[in-house]
């Protein structure tokens, strides 16, 4: 089978294969991107580039039916969630079209000595490589390509091997929006070829969203070649419940946060840390709530839980579950596994020496821990190598502020879930990565913040 192929995870059917780019074609793609940066990227204005990005957003809206159907068959995303992703991607492009020209305006500096003036001018770096994952095929591209094309950088985009059809659809949108040749180039490259791309002198930076293993490999290559890198890696986000006036609402939020994208989201709530007096009630209600969402045909309008993205993903998750139980954890199943379709599972009794305690479960598996008090809850929340997102539920505003400050994560959401927004920066600490995407900070990663001092 080809390295790039659409394999429907619901049926196992290989729908279409795509040829990998040749080395000669890859060299040409890099040269075209470099030419676009040196020409179009340096001779047009941010406002002109922003209007092209606005067209990209509008085309996502116009083609939402086609785009949603593609990712349902590529990675099994439930149809309604596929529509939501397309709409969110469109909003991201329009957000940057609205805001980036102002962000890129010269920033004056007040001089402490001497005459004249000084400014910071944000200019493009050059050609950037984006390495994207399969779980959000449009959203991930939007938050990388949108701001960077307005800056004037050119984009080489390597999508996940199981998302070649959405990759082609995105390329067509950029072409139809009026971007010049080379400004945005989709490349069906292998991992071995990507090492050469990062090393190429024309490429000035790389952004990867993916696994910890992939991030480590890319960071090593980028470091060796002195290239700027942004990494958005895994997460095992804590959901800390300290107090509530409405346990049913908390449970509803917890279930939604765990099952979004069939549990295959980096910043999903995965570890539920509950104070002792609420623990038993939470486990019972949470398990029952998750049981209401059984996996179903992702093409159905009412599906909320589809298959895992591939057979390999399903086998990985099963191996993790088996290992967790073998090491003493209790599994509360809500249904049966059918191939790549997993019914939600709740894990409890996870001992400190259980290896699953420090792993990320990428699927509809929730781990629940008992906490003695606030200090114990924070300690358990931070007892993980990751630090992407986190969630805190409490009726005490001072406690919320205190715990939010102590949690080691790039993002903290208090008394709400699924609250990502185009204006909110996204990223983590520890082994969850470096840098930020989305919002104002996402438009400030791959720029030359050039000082111009004039007498």
């Amino acid at each position: 089978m080809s390295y790039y192929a659409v394999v429907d995870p619901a049926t196992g059917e290989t729908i279409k294969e795509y040829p990998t780019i040749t080395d000669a074609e890859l060299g040409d793609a890099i040269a075209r991107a470099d030419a676009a940066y040196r020409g179009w990227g340096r001779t047009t204005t941010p406002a002109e580039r922003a209007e092209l990005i606005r067209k990209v957003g509008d085309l996502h809206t116009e083609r939402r039916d086609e785009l949603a159907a593609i990712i349902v068959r590529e990675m099994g995303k439930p149809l309604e969630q596929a529509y939501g992703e397309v709409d969110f991607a469109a909003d991201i492009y329009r957000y940057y079209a609205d805001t980036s020209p102002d962000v890129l305006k010269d920033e004056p500096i007040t001089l402490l000595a001497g005459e004249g003036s000084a400014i910071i001018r944000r200019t493009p770096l050059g050609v950037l490589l984006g390495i994207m994952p399969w779980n959000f095929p449009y959203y991930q591209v939007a938050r990388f390509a949108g701001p960077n094309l307005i800056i004037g950088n050119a984009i080489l985009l390597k999508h996940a091997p199981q998302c070649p059809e959405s990759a082609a659809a995105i390329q067509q949108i950029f072409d139809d929006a009026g971007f010049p040749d080379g400004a945005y180039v989709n490349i069906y490259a292998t991992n071995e070829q990507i090492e050469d791309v990062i090393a190429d002198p024309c490429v000035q930076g790389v952004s990867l969203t993916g696994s910890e293993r992939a991030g480590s490999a890319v960071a090593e290559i980028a470091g060796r070649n002195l290239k700027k890198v942004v990494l958005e890696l895994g997460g095992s986000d804590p959901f800390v419940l300290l107090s509530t006036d409405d346990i049913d609402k908390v449970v509803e939020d917890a279930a939604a946060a765990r099952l979004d994208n069939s549990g295959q989201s980096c910043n999903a709530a995965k570890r539920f840390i509950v104070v002792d007096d609420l623990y038993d009630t939470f486990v019972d209600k949470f398990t029952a709530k998750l049981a209401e969402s059984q996996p179903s045909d992702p093409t159905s309008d009412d599906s909320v839980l589809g298959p895992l993205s591939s057979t390999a993903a399903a086998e990985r998750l099963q191996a993790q579950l088996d290992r967790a139980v073998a090491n003493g954890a209790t599994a509360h199943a809500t249904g049966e596994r059918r191939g790549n379709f997993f019914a939600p599972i709740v894990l409890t009794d996870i001992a400190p020496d259980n290896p699953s305690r420090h792993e990320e479960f990428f699927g509809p598996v929730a781990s629940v821990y008992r906490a003695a008090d606030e200090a114990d809850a924070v300690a358990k929340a931070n007892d993980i190598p990751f630090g992407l997102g986190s969630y805190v539920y409490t009726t005490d505003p001072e406690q919320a502020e205190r715990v939010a400050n102590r949690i080691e994560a790039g993002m903290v959401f208090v008394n709400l879930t699924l609250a990502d927004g185009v204006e909110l920066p996204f990223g983590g600490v520890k082994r969850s990565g470096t840098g930020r995407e989305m919002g104002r900070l996402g438009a400030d990663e791959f720029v030359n913040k050039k000082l111009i001092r004039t007498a």
Side-chain angles (χ1 to χ4, degrees):
M1 189 178 74
S2 172
Y3 184 72
Y4 283 86
V6 178
V7 180
D8 187 337
T11 65
E13 177 190 1
T14 298
I15 297 172
K16 186 176 180 180
E17 298 182 350
Y18 291 71
T20 303
I21 195 169
T22 67
D23 290 345
E25 291 168 337
L26 184 57
D28 178 67
I30 295 172
R32 287 162 49 211
D34 187 57
Y37 152 68
R38 296 185 184 281
W40 168 83
R42 301 310 304 270
T43 60
T44 53
T45 67
E48 290 170 334
R49 299 190 291 269
E51 285 311 302
L52 294 180
I53 284 294
R54 190 183 307 281
K55 291 179 183 177
V56 169
D58 292 344
L59 286 171
H60 275 70
T61 299
E62 290 178 19
R63 301 176 186 180
R64 68 191 298 266
D65 289 339
E66 169 196 343
L67 295 175
I70 288 172
I71 58 175
V72 171
R73 60 178 168 263
E74 278 186 335
M75 49 77 60
K77 190 185 295 284
L79 180 60
E80 197 61 32
Q81 295 178 36
Y83 278 121
E85 181 183 340
V86 175
D87 294 342
F88 194 25
D91 288 343
I92 291 169
Y93 287 117
R94 287 191 280 257
Y95 167 79
Y96 281 116
D98 289 338
T99 61
S100 286
D102 285 337
V103 170
L104 294 171
K105 286 180 179 178
D106 289 348
E107 179 183 339
I109 299 175
T110 300
L111 294 174
L112 298 181
E115 300 297 326
S117 63
I119 61 169
I120 299 296
R121 178 163 296 160
R122 286 170 167 79
T123 61
L125 290 181
V127 179
L128 306 177
L129 170 65
I131 304 173
M132 297 293 117
W134 50 261
N135 57 339
F136 290 95
Y138 303 121
Y139 157 67
Q140 297 285 168
V141 174
R143 68 188 200 178
F144 169 63
N148 281 303
L149 284 165
I150 296 175
I151 289 166
N153 296 313
I155 301 296
L156 296 169
L157 202 292
K158 179 200 178 299
H159 225 313
Q162 70 194 78
C163 296
E165 188 178 4
S166 56
I170 296 168
Q171 177 71 71
Q172 190 63 57
I173 284 176
F174 277 96
D175 292 344
D176 292 346
F179 277 87
D181 179 64
Y184 179 97
V185 186
N186 174 62
I187 54 173
Y188 294 129
T190 66
N191 291 339
E192 292 74 22
Q193 288 174 314
I194 286 302
E195 182 168 358
D196 294 332
V197 175
I198 297 173
D200 193 285
C202 293
V203 176
Q204 301 302 313
V206 55
S207 177
L208 174 139
T209 298
S211 69
E212 185 180 354
R213 179 183 58 80
S216 178
V218 166
E220 190 275 327
I221 299 166
R224 189 185 338 130
N225 291 279
L226 300 178
K227 303 296 175 71
K228 164 80 174 180
V229 63
V230 168
L231 302 172
E232 194 268 277
L233 308 178
S236 191
D237 294 4
F239 182 110
V240 178
L241 173 57
L242 299 170
S243 63
T244 181
D245 292 330
D246 189 346
I247 187 65
D248 291 331
K249 178 62 168 61
V250 172
V251 165
E252 181 180 339
D253 287 358
R258 187 65 202 96
L259 297 184
D260 182 50
N261 204 39
S262 302
Q264 301 169 116
S265 178
C266 297
N267 66 320
K270 298 184 176 80
R271 296 179 302 125
F272 297 82
I273 301 164
V274 184
V275 289
D276 188 71
D277 62 329
L278 294 173
Y279 178 85
D280 291 331
T281 300
F282 178 85
V283 170
D284 290 344
K285 287 180 173 287
F286 186 43
T287 305
K289 175 58 69 173
L290 290 176
E292 295 174 7
S293 299
Q294 293 299 303
S296 59
D297 178 0
T299 64
S300 172
D301 290 340
D302 58 0
S303 176
V304 297
L305 186 63
L308 295 193
S309 63
S310 66
T311 299
E315 290 175 349
R316 264 194 310 273
L317 186 65
Q318 186 64 61
Q320 283 184 287
L321 284 166
D322 292 345
R323 187 166 58 249
V325 172
N327 281 274
T330 301
H332 306 261
T334 66
E336 299 295 325
R337 175 190 172 187
R338 295 179 291 105
N340 296 338
F341 291 86
F342 267 83
I345 295 172
V346 175
L347 290 177
T348 59
D349 308 315
I350 304 170
D353 61 350
N354 192 321
S356 66
R357 197 176 180 102
H358 296 111
E359 294 178 351
E360 176 184 22
F361 285 85
F362 221 57
V365 176
S367 302
V368 188
Y369 299 84
R370 188 189 300 268
D373 52 25
E374 176 188 315
D376 187 36
V378 170
K380 285 184 168 67
N382 292 336
D383 183 27
I384 196 78
F386 304 108
L388 189 55
S390 58
Y391 306 85
V392 178
Y393 274 70
T394 175
T395 56
D396 181 347
E398 292 183 358
Q399 183 180 57
E401 179 74 11
R402 193 166 59 242
V403 172
N405 284 335
R406 294 177 61 196
I407 285 182
E408 297 167 352
M411 301 172 285
V412 182
F413 294 87
V414 178
N415 292 332
L416 79 171
T417 62
L418 304 180
D420 295 347
V422 297
E423 76 283 12
L424 301 177
F426 189 105
V429 296
K430 301 198 300 191
R431 299 189 72 85
S432 288
T434 60
R436 292 295 181 270
E437 294 184 295
M438 301 282 281
R440 167 71 176 79
L441 300 184
D444 212 31
E445 287 285 355
F446 292 104
V447 294
N448 177 9
K449 302 175 183 71
K450 183 186 294 183
L451 167 68
I452 300 178
R453 173 74 163 88
T454 304

